[in-house]
C-alpha cells in the first residue's frame, strides 16, 4: 500500500515495485539505521560522508564540528541527499545475473538548514545521542556552552523521501531451476558484542540496563 | 604511516590524524565492505545510491541495469564519490559531546567509465559476484549474451581515495572522569545467520563449503 510519491525527482524509477512512500516504512528504516550517507555537491563533484543522525517526527537532524567544511557547506542551505541502507542478506541465485541483496533503504532529498533555536538544538542533540542507544542522554553530562558553540546542528525535513525494500528468496529463471547449484539467502545481522569498559572507568560503575539489553540491533526476521 | 594524499580535494581536513592514504588500508576496508554508497550530482542535486561493488587491483567496478538512470548517468563520465563505511562500535563517553563511533571508511573520488571490453566485463562481473562470497562465480551459471547486454559495468579508478579510521575507547575530559556514568565501547559486528534455502531448491543440494564457512564478515577485533 503506497501513498503517492512526493515529487518527480523523488520517485523510484528502477524496480518501482520495491518502492514505498509510506511514512511508517520510511521512519522505521531510519530508526533502525545507525549511519546515514550524506551527499553534497561542490561545483559538480559529489562528496558522500557517513554521519550519525537523529529523527524527531518528520525531521532528521545531523551534527558536526562547527568548523568543519561539511557543516559549513550544509549550513549554507545546499541541496543534500541522505541515504540509509540496512543490509539484510545476500541473495544467492543459480545464475550470476539474478544475484541480489535483501535490503531496506531510504533516500531523502532536501535542503538542510542550520538550527539556531537553543531549545530545538538541545532536543536535536538529545535525539542524536539517543538514536543509537535510547536513554543515553539522561545518563551523560549534557553539552556545556562551549561544546554547544563548537557543534553545528542541521535539520533536514523528510518531505521528499522514498524507501526501497527487497525481501525473500532468489527469483531464478525457470530453465535454471534444474541446475546443481545451491540457491537461497544468507541472512546478515548487525549485532552487538558485550560492552567493553573504558580503561579509565572507575570501579563499581556498571552498564545501565538499557545498555545491557541492547543486543540485536538490525535485521529483518 | 601515511603516504601523501593524492590531491587537494581528496585530503581529509577534519580530524586528519584519523586519515590514511595507504593503499593496503584502503583496499582492506573496501574488501571487507559489502555495500558502497555512490553519489552523483545532477544539476547541483546529489543522489546517493547503495550499490554493490567489486575490486580488481586499483579499480573498483559497479554494475547496474543498462536502462537505469544511474547507470546511464555514470556511463556519461560524470564525477562520482564512492564511500564505504564499516561501523565497528558505538563509543559511549561520559559527556554527550564526546560520544562517537568506531568506524573505518573509504571515500573515493573520480570519474567512472563504461567498460566496453568483453573480457574486462567478464572479469568485473566475476569480481562483483565473488566480492560478497568468494568462489560463488565458479558455482553459478554465467551471464548469457542477453544478460550481459542488459548489464552495464562501470570502472572507477582508485586514484583519489582516502581512508578514515577511529578505534579505541572514549576520550573524556579529565574533569568528567569522576562522573557516575558508564563509559566504554559497544562493539558492533555484521554477522551471518545460517543460510536459508530457496523454496524451489531441489532436494539433495547443499550449500558449498565456502558458504558454510562464511560466518563472521565484518568487525575489527
Amino acid at each position: 500500500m503506497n501513498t503517492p510519491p512526493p515529487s518527480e525527482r523523488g520517485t523510484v524509477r528502477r524496480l518501482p515495485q520495491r518502492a514505498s512512500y509510506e511514512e511508517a516504512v520510511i521512519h522505521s528504516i531510519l530508526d533502525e539505521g545507525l549511519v546515514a550517507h550524506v551527499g553534497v555537491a561542490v561545483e559538480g563533484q559529489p562528496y558522500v560522508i557517513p554521519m550519525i543522525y537523529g529523527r524527531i517526527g518528520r525531521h532528521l537532524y545531523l551534527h558536526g564540528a562547527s568548523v568543519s567544511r561539511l557543516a559549513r557547506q550544509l549550513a549554507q542551505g545546499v541541496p543534500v541527499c541522505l541515504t540509509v541502507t540496512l543490509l539484510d542478506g545476500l541473495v544467492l541465485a543459480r545464475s550470476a545475473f539474478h544475484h541480489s541483496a535483501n535490503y531496506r533503504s531510504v533516500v531523502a532529498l532536501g535542503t538542510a538548514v542550520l538550527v539556531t533555536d537553543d531549545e530545538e538544538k538541545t532536543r536535536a542533540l538529545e535525539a542524536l545521542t539517543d538514536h543509537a542507544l535510547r536513554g543515553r542522554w539522561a545518563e551523560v553530562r549534557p553539552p556545556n556552552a562551549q561544546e554547544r558553540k563548537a557543534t553545528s546542528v542541521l535539520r533536514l525535513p523528510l518531505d521528499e523521501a522514498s524507501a526501497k525494500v527487497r525481501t525473500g528468496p532468489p527469483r531464478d529463471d525457470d530453465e535454471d531451476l534444474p541446475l546443481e547449484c545451491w540457491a537461497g539467502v544468507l541472512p546478515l545481522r548487525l549485532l552487538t558484542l558485550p560492552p567493553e569498559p573504558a580503561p579509565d572507568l572507575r570501579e563499581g560503575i556498571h552498564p545501565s540496563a538499557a545498555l545491557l539489553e541492547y543486543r540485536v540491533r538490525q535485521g529483518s526476521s
Side-chain angles (χ1 to χ4, degrees), chain A:
Chain A
M1 204 184 67
N2 268 336
T3 46
S7 69
E8 168 70 15
R9 65 178 191 175
T11 301
V12 173
R13 311 276 186 92
R14 183 72 200 145
L15 304 175
Q17 69 276 19
R18 293 185 186 170
S20 170
Y21 307 94
E22 286 287 330
E23 202 168 73
V25 174
I26 290 166
H27 288 183
S28 77
I29 294 169
L30 293 171
D31 291 352
E32 191 173 324
L34 291 170
V35 172
H37 282 81
V38 180
V40 295
V42 179
E43 292 167 8
Q45 171 67 52
Y47 293 86
V48 178
I49 306 294
M51 297 181 84
I52 70 161
Y53 61 95
R55 182 178 71 84
I56 302 177
R58 292 176 175 171
H59 293 98
L60 289 184
Y61 290 91
L62 302 168
H63 72 337
S66 303
V67 297
S68 73
R69 269 193 298 186
L70 185 66
R72 281 181 294 158
Q73 272 159 10
L74 289 174
Q76 284 167 20
V78 295
V80 304
C81 176
L82 182 150
T83 300
V84 172
T85 304
L86 310 176
L87 185 62
D88 291 326
L90 305 178
V91 178
L92 304 171
R94 295 157 183 91
S95 62
F97 184 74
H98 282 297
H99 275 64
S100 185
N102 281 338
Y103 65 94
R104 291 163 292 151
S105 64
V106 166
V107 172
L109 305 177
T111 301
V113 296
L114 190 66
V115 172
T116 53
D117 180 77
D118 259 359
E119 196 186 312
E120 183 183 5
K121 188 166 180 174
T122 301
R123 285 188 296 118
L125 290 170
E126 178 177 355
L128 277 149
T129 306
D130 278 359
H131 180 79
L133 186 60
R134 194 177 302 243
R136 183 67 184 165
W137 179 258
E139 297 178 353
V140 300
R141 177 178 67 69
N144 59 34
Q146 189 187 335
E147 290 168 344
R148 289 173 65 96
K149 197 176 164 190
T151 308
S152 288
V153 172
L154 298 136
R155 181 181 62 233
L156 177 70
L158 285 169
D159 295 336
E160 265 188 282
S162 61
K164 213 166 168 185
V165 176
R166 192 209 185 275
T167 59
R171 289 180 266 282
D172 271 302
D173 298 331
D174 287 344
E175 55 266 38
D176 289 331
L177 297 183
L179 291 177
E180 284 283 336
C181 176
W182 190 87
V185 171
L186 195 61
L188 293 165
R189 296 290 179 273
L190 188 66
L191 302 176
T192 54
L193 301 188
E196 300 172 347
D200 55 10
L201 184 68
R202 287 170 45 208
E203 270 189 56
I205 300 186
H206 302 287
S208 65
L211 187 60
L212 288 172
E213 283 161 16
Y214 183 98
R215 274 289 167 278
V216 177
R217 173 73 196 197
Q218 280 177 11
S220 65
S221 52

